[in-house]
């Protein structure tokens, strides 16, 4: 019978440098966490992607979340060697949790990370999951994998916790350090350790959730709530467009009331808002409840790319342009502004719908990860200087670089005849463009 493990000194051991923290998954979420912790304690940063690890080692940040300088100067020990995880006692798993084509949760990344970590787990470890999941995944899916692969017993040999990520890619204001962090643990000692460890880097403080399931549920409803609110705005946009009313003007007027929630219509993609609600509704259906409000919102948001493309076609017709073979430029391809991430971008839905009408759009995005876009979608970006003689321009993403465009800059993208401009995010002055003779449309 082996001696009982004492978990009470782990925090102190991390502070003294006796023990290390590991980060499993170094993407948009994991990378900032690793760099932040490395300023306080010893950190091992593990990722399966060897090419990404080599970039980090050479001081390059492909996520642009912390910047090349911060990566170069960081003491994180970057590795693609899973056995290095054996040197750490506090593990944070921050891998993506996407959905399959049928909108069911794809737990493959989090299961794979659990297997890798399980193979290299040592007695006395605490494992904290950050990946967004439906309530129950940490304890019902991840723990059995960790136990099976390690031969250790949860609760005796290692402990688990959950602390949902709240990092907002591309956002330089709401960072890991400035956002209140939800923490949870399987028991009081674990919760205390997890809370203390995260308090090292999260200046905004921590909220101790009552249980792991409560923490999992809190994360999944944060994005579901946002999704539903944006869906409502998108539905209003569809209605007001039919009425010939400008949605942005309506929202500006309604926003003068103190308790009006200021959400705006748009394309809802990415690996959080466009994904998380499906995790919640999947679990609900397992329990015999079929979501009505959440899935209705998802349906609206999932169809917005198609809706934008159909309106582009209608505007081309009203401008007396031939639809088939029309020259259409799409500016912006990432799932959100000022961020290189193209995963689950809804701009691809605009592209695919335009192709149905015989239009092959030219796509430009100076911010996007071009290698990722080529791998995921087969898309090759063109330089913005090559956009000329267009029949229609779709301004799809609100990159800061695009906000600088003047009416002369926009005009240079077009050819002869009426200019069709779709300003999805409402970046431009509608009246200025309409007065200049543009056929202008926005959500």
């Amino acid at each position: 019978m082996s001696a009982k493990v004492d978990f009470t000194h782990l925090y102190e051991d991390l502070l003294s440098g006796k023990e290390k923290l590991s980060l499993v998954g170094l993407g948009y979420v994991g990378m900032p966490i690793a760099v932040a912790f490395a300023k306080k304690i010893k950190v091992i940063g593990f990722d399966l992607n060897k090419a990404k690890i080599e970039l980090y080692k050479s001081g390059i940040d492909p996520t642009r979340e912390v910047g090349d300088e911060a990566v170069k100067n960081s003491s994180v020990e970057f590795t693609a060697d899973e056995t290095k995880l054996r040197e750490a006692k506090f593990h944070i798993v921050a891998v993506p949790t996407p959905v399959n084509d049928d909108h069911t949760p794809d737990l493959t990344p989090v299961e794979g990370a659990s297997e890798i970590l399980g193979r290299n787990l040592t007695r006395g470890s605490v494992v904290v999951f950050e990946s967004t999941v439906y309530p129950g995944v940490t304890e019902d899916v991840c723990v059995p994998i960790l136990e099976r692969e390690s031969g250790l017993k949860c609760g005796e040999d290692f402990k688990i916790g959950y602390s949902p990520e709240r990092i907002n890619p591309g956002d330089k204001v709401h960072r890991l350090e400035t956002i209140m962090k939800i923490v949870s643990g399987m028991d009081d000692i674990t919760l205390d350790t997890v809370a203390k460890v995260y308090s090292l880097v999260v200046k905004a403080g921590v909220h101790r959730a009552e249980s792991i399931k409560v923490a999992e549920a809190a994360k999944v409803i944060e994005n579901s709530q946002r999704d539903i609110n944006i869906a409502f705005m998108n539905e209003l946009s569809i209605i007001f467009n039919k009425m010939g009313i400008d949605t942005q003007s309506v929202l500006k007027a309604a926003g003068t009331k103190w308790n009006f929630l200021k959400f705006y219509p748009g394309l809802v993609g990415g690996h959080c808002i466009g994904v998380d609600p499906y995790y919640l509704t999947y679990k609900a259906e397992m329990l015999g409840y079929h979501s009505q409000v959440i899935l209705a919102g998802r349906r609206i948001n999932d169809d917005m790319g198609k809706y934008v493309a159909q309106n582009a076609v209608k505007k081309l017709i009203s401008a007396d342009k031939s639809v088939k073979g029309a020259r259409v430029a799409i500016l912006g391809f990432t799932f959100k502004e000022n961020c290189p991430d193209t995963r689950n971008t809804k701009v691809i839905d605009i592209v695919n719908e335009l192709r149905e009408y015989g239009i092959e759009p030219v796509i430009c995005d100076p911010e996007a990860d071009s290698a990722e876009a080529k791998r995921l979608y087969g898309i090759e970006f063109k330089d913005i200087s090559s956009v000329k003689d267009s029949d229609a321009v779709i301004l799809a993403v609100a990159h800061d670089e695009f906000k600088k465009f003047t009416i002369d800059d926009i005009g240079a993208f077009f050819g002869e005849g009426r200019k069709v401009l779709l300003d999805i995010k409402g970046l431009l002055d509608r009246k200025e463009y309409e007065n200049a003779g543009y056929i202008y449309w926005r959500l």
Side-chain angles (χ1 to χ4, degrees), residues 344-398:
N344 197 30
T345 175
K346 292 300 172 187
V347 180
I348 192 65
D349 295 346
I350 301 175
V351 175
N352 290 336
E353 186 67 11
L354 288 175
R355 286 171 174 165
E356 294 281 323
Y357 289 93
I359 298 168
E360 188 56 50
V362 170
I363 305 165
C364 310
D365 195 322
E367 294 285 342
D369 182 333
S370 54
E372 182 182 72
K374 175 82 171 124
R375 187 179 77 251
L376 295 178
Y377 309 102
I379 294 286
E380 290 196 28
F381 298 129
K382 297 286 191 286
D383 193 85
I384 206 143
S385 60
S386 68
V387 180
K388 293 182 177 73
D389 301 320
S390 302
D391 297 310
V393 171
I394 301 174
L395 193 47
V397 184

Side-chain angles (χ1 to χ4, degrees), residues 98-108 275 278-279:
V99 290
N100 297 308
D101 291 340
D102 64 355
H103 297 147
T104 55
D106 177 8
L107 295 175
T108 313
V275 169
Y278 286 126
Y279 273 73

Side-chain angles (χ1 to χ4, degrees), residues 17 52 56 161 165 244 283:
K52 189 191 284 181
Y56 288 145
E165 57 87 5
K283 182 63 176 177

Side-chain angles (χ1 to χ4, degrees), residues 94-126:
V95 294
T97 38
V99 290
N100 297 308
D101 291 340
D102 64 355
H103 297 147
T104 55
D106 177 8
L107 295 175
T108 313
V110 79
E111 288 170 341
S114 299
E115 286 174 0
I116 289 168
L117 187 52
R119 287 198 291 270
N120 299 285
L121 200 61
T122 57
R123 289 183 84 228
S125 295
V126 170

Side-chain angles (χ1 to χ4, degrees), residues 3-68:
K4 193 178 178 187
V5 180
D6 182 5
F7 291 90
T8 55
H9 301 297
L10 180 53
Y11 173 69
E12 285 75 18
D13 289 346
L14 285 166
L15 276 185
S16 68
K18 185 181 170 187
E19 297 293 357
K20 297 178 185 177
L21 177 147
S22 91
L23 227 297
V24 179
L26 296 175
Y28 292 86
V29 172
M31 187 59 190
I33 299 170
V35 170
F37 271 116
K39 293 171 186 171
K40 307 281 185 179
I41 55 180
K42 292 179 180 175
V43 175
I44 295 165
F46 170 79
D47 199 286
L48 279 173
N49 187 330
K50 289 177 183 171
K52 189 191 284 181
I53 291 295
E54 289 310 311
L55 283 177
Y56 288 145
K57 280 182 174 177
S58 58
I60 296 167
D61 175 17
T63 70
R64 296 189 219 157
E65 282 300 302
V66 295
D68 295 353

